[in-house]
Structure formats: C-alpha cells, structure tokens
Amino acid sequence: MAANAVSITGNSLTLVGVPWFALETTGSPAKAGLVAFCATVPVVVSALTGGPVIDRIGRRRVSIASDLICALAVAAIPLLHYAGVLAFWMLCALMAVTGLFHAPGETSRYVLVPDLAKAAGTPLSRAASLFDAVSRGARMAGAALAGALIALTGAEAVLLLDAATFGVSALLIAVGVRGLGAAEPRKTSAPVSLTAYRRELREGCAFLVRHRLLLAVMLMVMLTNGLDQGWSSVLLPVHAKDNLGGPDHLGLLVAVFAGCALLGALLYGAIGHRFPRRALFTVAFLLCGLPRFAVAALVDGTAPLAVTMAIGGLGAGMLNPILTTVMYERVPDELRSRVAGVSTAGVLLTTPLGGLAAGFVVEQSGLPAAMLMFGSLYFLATLAPALFPAWREMDAPPPEAPRPGPADGQAPEDRPRPAEQVSRKGPSRPCSEPEANPRCPSES
C-alpha cells in the first residue's frame, strides 16, 4: 500500500503538472488534448496485452520495472526542457512511454490485494476499501502538492518530483514484497509462444464477455472514463487558467475532490455493506458526474465548484470499493491478471479520445458549451445501473466454487447424505477465510 500510495502521488503530480506544462509551453487547448491522447493510447494497448505478460514475468518484477521506466521518461521532460531541446513531438513521445508502462505496474499491485488480504487476515471488502482509500489520499496529497509547487517553482520541478516518486515505489516493492507466491512468475507447462499468449489473452476476454455484470460495468466506465479524461486534462485546467486563480486553484479543486473521495471510500468500508450495492452505486455516480460540469459552466468562482466537487468526491469514493469487491468475488485467482488487464483496457478505451475531443470542442464551441456537452453525456451514462437488468447481479451473492466430486473408487452412495450435511454446524468453509465465504459474520 505504501508503494501504491507513493506511485499514485506521482500520478497526481502528472495529472496537474503535464496539462499545465503543455498549456504554458504551447498555449493551445487542442495541443494539450493531443498530449493527453498520446499518454493514454499506450495505456489501452499495454492493459489489453499485459495480463499474460504479468503472469509469466511475475507481478513483483513487472511493478518494479514499470516504475523505473516511468521515472526515466518523466524525468526526461524537464531535463530536455532545461537544455532547450524539447520539441512538442518529444513531449508526446515521452508521455506515450509512461502510458505504455505504468498500466502493467498498477495492474500488478491491484491483483495482489486478495492474496495480501488473506495473508493479513483482513476481510476482502475491507482490504479493497483500504486500498482505494490509500489511493484516494495519495491523489489528494499529490494534487495539492502539485498546485502549490507549480505556483512556486513551475511545472518542471513537479515533473522531477514525479520521477522521484516512481523510483521510491520501485524500491518499496523490491524490498517489501518478498516471499509471496502470488507475486512471483506463474509456472506453466505450456512453452512461451505467440499461440500460448493468444490463448491466455483469449481466456481473459472470454471470461469477461460471459459475465453480464462485469461486461456492463466495463461498458459504462468506458464512457465515463473518457469524459473524466476530458475534464481533468483539458476542461478543468483551461477553466482554472482562464476563469479561476491559476494552478494553485486547480490543485485545490483536485485535492478537494480526492480528499472527499478518500472520505467516501472510508465511509463505504465502515458502513457501505449495510446498503444495496446497486442503489448506492447509482446514487454515487449521479453525484460525481453532471453537477461539476454544470456548475463549472454556469456559476462563477472557485468556491461553488469546490463545494460541488466535494459532494461529488464523496460519491466517487464509494465507486471503486464496490467495483473492486465485485471483481475480486467473481474472478478466480488464476484468471485475475488476464481479466483485470482486459477490463482495464476496456474501461480505458475511450480515454485517449476524451482529452482529444475536449480540446477540439473547446476551440470550436467554447468552454461552457464543452462543459455542458460532456456533463450531459455523463448523466446519460450514469442512468445505466437503474435501467438495465444485468446490474441486478451486483446485489447477488458471489458464486461459490464448485464442490469436488467423489474420490476415485468412492461410490456415489458413500457420499455424505443430506441429513448428515445438514447436521454440520457453520458454513462449509471456515470463517478464518471470509473472502472465500460470503456467509461469514465479518462480511455480512
């Protein structure tokens, strides 16, 4: 969690620093959107193809290599700028490198959570909430720090600090995550080949397509992620630059949203299990979507937008723990890296287009019209859980693993009779492993 917090703090520095750096050096919202496009297209590619690679190389090794490569790419941006040789295409290329390599690292840490929770004796829903809360807190701290540093020292210094956070994250994983079987390479009898790789990738895709709820989640979040990317990479930075107080106000707004999202994640971890997931998920998404776009477009000043983003942050903080718990409950460990990679690629599929479209719409129609257009689309997307039947599965108990058949040589009549099964007290699996048994009291 410490490594993930440090790495996500760096991502928040990038979230604020790179759009501001692009706006300062180019003066064009469309070019800022193009930088965001170049940074996110490789994320989709690496997330889609990275699941089998993560399994073969090992989650620990992938996380370390990912952070080290991102550190070098991010540090190169300000260093080339200081040397006076940074061209716009170089900025796009370096951001593409970070996008290509940071997604496998995040996926590697994400899929380790169930095994770490089991080793720690922590219920899975609480581990998922804590993991998301730490991530939200890191985003809050990183955004506030980025806004202050840009105002004091410039965007270049923020990017250098971002590079340092990637290095620290790699060191923490290298030293701290040892001896965990799930973090090591998966041994397989199949030789390393393109055919085996395609088969493993196809297994992840097929599992996702067969499960209506997971597929519905991916399609909805695919659209909202694209709209969020347009908001964070173009719409909000341009609004802060033209209508608010500059980078410190931008950092403040992002920090307020992230801080309240942290509170929302903690609230869900404490009391969220008492409410139906589907209803809570729908209300939370409605709060964090349209209102911030509408207030930014129609109301002047930082304070009204900060209040709106605070309320939206509370709702946003409850989304990931719900989705993460659903994913962990329904995807077996042997497919987790592959399914997580495919689903991550799916939800990021529209992200490259979000920043590009936002920059184009701002230059063609103006900022208020772009805000209202993106907010309206967001509102329509958030109605999906209330309208489509597949989302009802979100409140259904997770499917239990199939019971093993009789041992060789054991006749069917040798199996325990129903009366014998009923006479046994307690669940079929011990409550020391609540993540394996949804009927355990700690999970009810």
Side-chain angles (χ1 to χ4, degrees):
M1 287 202 175
N4 206 49
V6 171
S7 183
I8 288 177
T9 299
N11 289 342
S12 292
L13 297 176
T14 302
L15 178 67
V16 178
V18 170
W20 201 267
F21 180 80
L23 286 172
E24 280 189 334
T25 55
T26 68
S28 169
K31 285 188 174 181
L34 182 58
V35 172
F37 176 82
C38 293
T40 49
V41 167
V43 175
V44 179
V45 176
S46 63
L48 178 62
T49 61
V53 175
I54 292 171
D55 284 340
R56 290 184 179 275
I57 298 177
R59 296 163 180 174
R60 177 173 174 267
R61 295 176 183 175
V62 169
S63 180
I64 295 169
S66 168
D67 279 337
L68 290 177
I69 293 172
C70 289
L72 294 174
V74 171
I77 296 173
L79 294 178
L80 290 173
H81 179 71
Y82 288 140
V85 295
L86 181 66
F88 181 71
W89 69 266
M90 295 180 185
L91 175 61
C92 293
L94 290 170
M95 290 306 300
V97 171
T98 63
L100 183 65
F101 286 95
H102 94 262
E106 289 188 356
T107 301
S108 299
R109 293 186 292 272
Y110 166 80
V111 297
L112 283 175
V113 170
D115 299 280
L116 293 170
K118 184 176 181 179
T122 303
L124 183 56
S125 63
R126 294 182 186 175
S129 296
L130 182 58
F131 187 80
D132 188 65
V134 169
S135 301
R136 299 283 188 180
R139 289 189 182 94
M140 174 186 65
L145 182 61
L149 285 178
I150 291 174
L152 293 174
T153 63
E156 298 87 347
V158 170
L159 296 180
L160 287 174
L161 181 59
D162 184 10
T165 62
F166 280 117
V168 172
S169 174
L171 180 63
L172 287 171
I173 292 293
V175 174
V177 183
R178 293 180 176 180
L180 186 70
E184 300 306 318
R186 294 294 178 98
K187 294 181 180 180
T188 175
S189 58
V192 178
S193 66
L194 185 60
T195 301
Y197 176 83
R198 285 200 303 264
R199 185 185 67 252
E200 293 172 2
L201 186 61
R202 190 163 53 245
E203 288 174 352
C205 294
F207 185 93
L208 187 65
V209 170
R210 286 197 306 268
H211 287 73
R212 296 190 309 163
L213 175 60
L214 297 182
L215 183 61
V217 167
M218 189 190 74
L219 293 175
M220 175 183 175
V221 180
M222 178 192 301
L223 178 56
T224 58
N225 273 355
L227 300 171
D228 281 327
Q229 178 67 11
W231 167 264
S232 61
S233 65
V234 177
L235 298 180
L236 185 59
V238 172
H239 183 53
K241 187 173 184 292
D242 293 347
N243 304 320
L244 304 179
D248 51 341
H249 285 237
L250 172 61
L252 173 65
L253 290 170
V254 176
V256 165
F257 187 86
C260 290
L262 166 61
L263 180 59
L266 293 175
L267 284 174
Y268 180 80
I271 62 174
H273 60 277
R274 301 176 184 176
F275 301 92
R277 288 179 184 172
R278 181 188 178 204
L280 187 61
F281 182 84
T282 303
V283 172
F285 236 134
L286 288 170
L287 290 176
C288 73
L290 173 63
R292 55 190 158 117
F293 291 91
V295 171
L298 303 175
V299 182
D300 294 330
T302 302
L305 183 56
V307 172
T308 304
M309 292 185 69
I311 298 172
L314 285 173
M318 300 182 186
L319 300 177
N320 280 350
I322 295 174
L323 296 181
T324 301
T325 304
V326 169
M327 175 72 76
Y328 289 152
E329 287 176 346
R330 284 161 172 77
V331 182
D333 177 68
E334 62 272 15
L335 291 177
R336 198 173 292 144
S337 294
R338 302 168 201 177
V339 174
V342 172
S343 62
T344 300
V347 300
L348 294 176
L349 195 61
T350 60
T351 304
L353 301 176
L356 197 64
F360 176 79
V361 174
V362 168
E363 292 204 344
Q364 296 298 316
S365 304
L367 183 60
M371 292 276 195
L372 294 175
M373 180 187 301
F374 273 57
S376 299
L377 291 173
Y378 211 114
F379 175 73
L380 293 176
T382 52
L383 295 178
L387 298 178
F388 295 104
W391 291 87
R392 296 172 187 166
E393 297 178 25
M394 185 172 277
D395 291 322
E400 292 195 18
R403 296 180 182 273
D408 293 340
Q410 181 184 18
E413 60 269 16
D414 294 332
R415 299 177 188 174
R417 294 187 299 273
E420 294 173 335
Q421 292 176 334
V422 171
S423 67
R424 296 172 183 169
K425 296 180 180 180
S428 59
R429 282 176 284 186
C431 281
S432 61
E433 296 180 5
E435 67 276 11
N437 193 336
R439 292 174 289 176
C440 290
S442 61
E443 284 287 284
S444 64

